[in-house]
Amino acid sequence: MAPRYEMCVGMDKGHKTTKNTMKPRPSKKKGQATKHNKFVRELIREVAGFAPYERRAQELLRIGKEKRCLKFLKKRIGAHEAGKRKREEMQAVLQAMRKKQG
């Protein structure tokens, strides 16, 4: 590729400067799982259990209807990626239950 010169026109026009590296904003850390967050979520899950839609999703997975489970979760949660994440979570929970029992 051609060397970059100070040009008057084109995509790289203007005086060449070095990028200023900034510290990441605090808002970028929102939703990050900390040890404390993880502990609190685990405790709440232990006390409150699963939501009715999560229990139904587990039931669908138990009988081997993974695609139907994804469609169901997608409708309840509202996003395809979030539905896939929730399905993976429910599968992990079922595997843990099976491991615990036998």
Side-chain angles (χ1 to χ4, degrees):
M1 201 165 160
R4 292 177 67 192
Y5 298 110
E6 288 188 23
M7 295 210 138
C8 298
V9 292
M11 285 180 68
D12 294 321
K13 70 180 179 183
H15 183 67
K16 294 290 162 260
T17 58
T18 57
K19 287 281 186 187
N20 189 10
T21 54
M22 304 282 280
K23 206 164 64 169
R25 290 167 179 252
S27 62
K28 296 291 178 192
K29 290 175 72 174
K30 186 175 192 281
Q32 196 174 50
T34 62
K35 275 197 291 189
H36 182 69
N37 274 353
K38 200 172 177 185
F39 170 73
V40 168
R41 286 185 187 140
E42 226 171 76
L43 186 69
I44 289 172
R45 175 56 48 108
E46 200 176 300
V47 171
F50 293 100
Y53 83 94
E54 289 174 330
R55 286 199 296 269
R56 182 165 171 203
Q58 287 176 2
E59 195 56 45
L60 286 167
L61 288 171
R62 267 192 207 106
I63 58 175
K65 298 202 170 194
E66 279 155 33
K67 189 171 182 180
R68 168 60 56 193
C69 178
L70 177 61
K71 284 181 80 172
F72 170 73
L73 287 170
K74 193 168 82 169
K75 190 174 181 197
R76 286 298 156 97
I77 296 173
H80 184 72
E81 282 298 317
K84 286 188 345 190
R85 252 193 324 270
K86 182 61 82 171
R87 182 178 64 176
E88 292 300 314
E89 184 187 324
M90 293 296 112
Q91 282 175 328
V93 165
L94 285 175
Q95 280 180 341
M97 281 177 163
R98 282 194 199 110
K99 202 176 218 182
K100 211 174 195 182
Q101 286 176 350

